[in-house]
Amino acid sequence: MSRNTAPPPLNRAPTFVEAFTPKLVTILREGYGLANLRADAMAGLTVAIVALPLSMAIAIASGATPAQGLYTAIFGGFLVSALGGSRFQIGGPAGAFIVLVATTVQVHGMDGLILATMLSGLMLAAIGLFQLGTYIKFIPYPVTVGFTAGIAVIIFASQIKELLGLSMSEPEPGPLLEKLPALWGDLPTADPATIILAAATIALISGLKRIRPHWPGMLIVVAGAALATIFLDLPVSTIASQFGGVPSSLPLPSLPTLDAAKIVAVLPNAIAFALLGSIESLLSAVVADGMTGRRHRSNCELVAQGIANVVSGLFSGICVTGTIARTATNVRAGAHGPIAGMLHALFLLGFILVAAPLAGYIPLASLAGVLALVAWNMVEKHAFATLIRASRGDAAVLLATFFLTIFRDLTEAIIVGFALGSVLFIHRMSKTTAIETQRPFVAEDEADSSDGARAPYEEDAENDPEIVIYRISGVFFFGAAASIGSVLDRIADTHRALIIDFSAVPFVDSTAANTIEVLAHKAGRSGVSVYLTGAVPGSRRDLEAHGLRPPLVRYSESIESAVREARAEEHRKAALLR
C-alpha cells in the first residue's frame, strides 16, 4: 500500500508498558475536571438504567439467576472500564453468550460455568499479553454478520416459552430442531395474561424508542409491568416466584471446584467463551471508535476482559464482554472516558443495596419482551440483505455461518465461515489473475516511458493541504481491511477531501467494502468529501452493492479529475460563505 501525501505522522510503535496502559490512566493524564466527572456521571447513570433490566434478562435466559447477571455487570463492568484499552467500552453480560452459557449450565452445571468463565478469562489475558488481538480483526465481515444473526434467532427461540407463558411437561430442549416441536406441543398451555404483558412490553418499548428516543424505555416499561403485576394481581411468573428475588448484598469471593477432570471437561466451553468474547469486545470497541474518532488498543482491551472474567467468576458472575448496545449508549450519553463505565457499575451496586426487593415483582414475560427486542436489534438486517445480493460467494459464507450457528455450534460456525472466506479469497484471486491481467497480484517493475503514456507528476496536487490522496496497491480483502481502515481513519480527520485510488486494486471483498463504507459515513459527519478513483467495473459493482454510492462517495476516472472536482467543491463552499 502506498500514500503520496504527508498526513500527520503516525506514532512510533508503543513500548510494552505503553501498549498495556489503561485508557483510564490516559484520561487522568490529560487532566480530569468536575465538568468531565459530571458528564461521566450522567452517562454512567444512563447506561446503568439500560443495563439493569438487560443484565437480569440475559442471565435468566442463560440459565443463571438475575443476581448473577447484576454481579457480572458490577464486577466485570467496573474492571473492563478501569483496565481496558477502550475509552468508552461498557462490559457486562451479553446476549451473544446466551446460547453458550445455557449449554454449559445444562452440561456442566453452575460450578462448571464459573470454572469455564475463569479459564476463558485467563485465555483472553494471554491472547492480549502475547499481542494476538490484532488477528481477531481478520475474521471476514460475512462471518460476523452471519453468526450475529444466528445468535439472535436462537435468543428469540429461547424466549418463546416465557413470551407465551407455556407450562411445559418436560424440560425445554436446547437444540432448535428439538425445541420448536416441544414448544408447539405445549402451545395449548399458553397463558393469555402473559402474552398480553409480553406484547405490551414489546410495543411500548418500541413506541417509546420512536417518539421519545432519549427516554430509558426499557426501564420505564419493565417498572410499569412490575407495578401492573402488583396492583392488578396478574397471575404471571415473576423474579420472586421463580428465583426468590434479588439479594440485597454482594457475595463473598469463592473458587469453583478445581480438579483435572473438571478442567478438561469444560475446556472446550472456555475456548468458545474466549473466542466469542474477544470478537464481541473488539467489535464493540471498533463501534465506539467509529462513533467518536478515537482508537482503542486491542491487546490491552483483551487483558482487561480476561481479568474481568476471572473476577466475575470469583463473585459467582457469568461471562463478561464488551457490549455494543450499552457502549453506544455510553457514547451517545456524552461520556468523557472510562470513569463513566466504572460509575455505571457503582450505580448498579447501589440498586442491589437499596432497591433489590423491588426487583422481585418484575414479571419474566416483560424481561422476555426485552430480550426479543434485543434479538431483533442484533440482526444487521441491511448488511444481511446487502451480502445476499452482493455475490454468491459472500452469500454462501454468510448463510453457512448463519445456519451452522443455529443448528450446530457457534465455534464451528466461525471456523467454517473463516475457512470458506479464505477459500473464496483464493478463488477470487485465481479469477482476478486470469481476467484482470493488467492488475497482477504483485506488480512488477516497469521502465519509465517517454512516449507520452506516463502521466506527469503534479506536485501541487500532492501537496494540497485540503486534499489527501491514498493509493491502495494489491488485493483489498479482509486480511488487509483493518490496517488500511486504521490508516484511512486517521488521515481523513484533518483534510476536507479524501481521495482513495483503486487503480492498482484487482478486487475488493465485502469486508473491505464495509470498511470504506464506515469510513465514508464518518467522513460525511465531519464534512469530509470522499472520492473513489480508478475502480475497475467489478470492484465498483462490489463497492456500490455495499452502499458506496453518491452522495456518500463520488466516483472519478482518475486522481487528477477527482482533485479538480474536490477543488471546485471547495470553491463553491467558499463562495456560499461570502
Side-chain angles (χ1 to χ4, degrees), residues 52-356:
L52 179 60
L54 267 181
S55 299
M56 292 189 289
I58 290 170
I60 292 170
S62 302
T65 66
Q68 286 179 285
L70 293 174
Y71 299 154
T72 306
I74 291 168
F75 291 103
F78 186 90
L79 290 171
V80 164
S81 295
L83 304 177
S86 172
R87 189 168 181 140
F88 302 100
Q89 184 85 280
I90 299 294
F97 277 87
I98 288 176
V99 181
L100 291 176
V101 172
T103 303
T104 305
V105 172
Q106 289 173 1
V107 176
H108 302 290
M110 189 55 65
D111 211 44
L113 168 64
I114 293 174
L115 178 58
T117 297
M118 298 178 71
L119 288 174
S120 72
L122 296 176
M123 294 177 191
L124 282 166
I127 291 171
L129 288 172
F130 284 106
Q131 303 191 36
L132 301 176
T134 305
Y135 297 101
I136 302 297
K137 301 173 184 176
F138 283 6
I139 295 178
Y141 183 57
V143 176
T144 62
V145 174
F147 82 71
T148 302
I151 290 170
V153 171
I154 296 175
I155 290 174
F156 180 79
S158 72
Q159 296 307 299
I160 294 175
K161 175 178 177 290
E162 299 298 344
L163 288 169
L164 302 179
L166 301 180
S167 299
M168 301 189 71
S169 54
E170 300 288 336
E172 184 179 359
L176 189 65
L177 291 179
E178 298 175 20
K179 182 194 297 286
L180 293 180
L183 293 171
W184 180 260
D186 287 310
L187 199 58
T189 66
D191 177 52
T194 300
I195 295 173
I196 292 172
L197 193 59
T201 298
I202 294 172
L204 289 172
I205 292 176
S206 301
L208 280 176
K209 185 177 181 181
R210 182 179 297 273
I211 63 175
R212 292 290 186 270
H214 299 296
W215 287 14
M218 284 186 183
L219 186 64
I220 291 172
V221 175
V222 169
L227 292 175
T229 302
I230 296 171
F231 291 110
L232 300 179
D233 195 23
L234 297 178
V236 296
S237 297
T238 64
I239 288 179
S241 66
Q242 193 80 11
F243 301 98
V246 175
S248 57
S249 61
L250 295 177
L252 294 175
S254 61
L255 285 171
T257 302
L258 297 175
D259 63 75
K262 190 73 171 178
I263 291 174
V264 171
V266 303
L267 194 59
N269 304 80
I271 294 172
F273 290 166
L275 177 62
L276 180 57
S278 58
I279 295 170
E280 188 78 5
S281 61
L282 295 186
L283 280 176
S284 178
V286 167
V287 168
D289 289 348
M291 295 177 70
T292 63
R294 295 292 184 173
R295 305 296 305 176
H296 74 282
R297 290 193 287 272
S298 300
N299 295 304
C300 180
E301 183 64 25
L302 291 181
V303 170
Q305 298 283 340
I307 295 172
N309 274 278
V310 171
V311 175
S312 176
L314 282 174
F315 286 91
S316 303
I318 59 177
C319 297
V320 180
T321 188
T323 55
I324 295 175
R326 276 160 273 175
T327 298
T329 300
N330 188 40
V331 173
R332 286 195 295 265
H336 177 73
I339 291 176
M342 297 162 66
L343 289 174
H344 126 271
L346 296 178
F347 284 128
L348 290 174
L349 174 60
F351 169 80
I352 281 186
L353 299 178
V354 176

Side-chain angles (χ1 to χ4, degrees), residues 265-493:
V266 303
L267 194 59
N269 304 80
I271 294 172
F273 290 166
L275 177 62
L276 180 57
S278 58
I279 295 170
E280 188 78 5
S281 61
L282 295 186
L283 280 176
S284 178
V286 167
V287 168
D289 289 348
M291 295 177 70
T292 63
R294 295 292 184 173
R295 305 296 305 176
H296 74 282
R297 290 193 287 272
S298 300
N299 295 304
C300 180
E301 183 64 25
L302 291 181
V303 170
Q305 298 283 340
I307 295 172
N309 274 278
V310 171
V311 175
S312 176
L314 282 174
F315 286 91
S316 303
I318 59 177
C319 297
V320 180
T321 188
T323 55
I324 295 175
R326 276 160 273 175
T327 298
T329 300
N330 188 40
V331 173
R332 286 195 295 265
H336 177 73
I339 291 176
M342 297 162 66
L343 289 174
H344 126 271
L346 296 178
F347 284 128
L348 290 174
L349 174 60
F351 169 80
I352 281 186
L353 299 178
V354 176
L358 301 177
Y361 297 104
I362 296 175
L364 297 183
S366 64
L367 293 180
V370 168
L371 281 182
L373 287 173
V374 168
W376 174 255
N377 292 328
M378 280 180 68
V379 180
E380 298 179 64
K381 295 169 279 293
H382 174 72
F384 200 100
T386 298
L387 288 169
I388 289 291
R389 295 192 303 265
S391 71
R392 285 179 295 179
D394 285 330
V397 175
L398 172 73
L399 293 176
T401 307
F402 176 69
F403 287 117
L404 284 172
T405 300
I406 295 175
F407 298 114
R408 289 287 298 174
D409 174 73
L410 180 61
T411 306
E412 183 177 324
I414 293 174
I415 292 172
V416 171
F418 181 82
L420 286 176
S422 301
V423 171
L424 178 63
F425 165 71
I426 295 171
H427 172 68
R428 283 175 169 171
M429 275 308 310
S430 65
K431 290 182 63 179
T432 301
T433 303
I435 298 171
E436 302 289 350
T437 54
Q438 74 275 21
R439 287 169 174 79
F441 182 68
V442 178
E444 298 179 356
D445 290 343
E446 296 179 355
D448 293 341
S449 59
S450 57
D451 57 2
R454 183 178 174 84
Y457 176 73
E458 296 187 17
E459 64 278 357
D460 59 333
E462 305 292 345
N463 293 312
D464 191 324
E466 295 298 319
I467 301 173
V468 63
I469 302 168
Y470 191 93
R471 293 176 172 87
I472 302 176
S473 301
V475 290
F476 191 9
F477 73 117
F478 62 86
S483 58
I484 294 176
S486 175
V487 173
L488 291 174
D489 197 30
R490 287 195 292 268
I491 67 178
D493 288 341

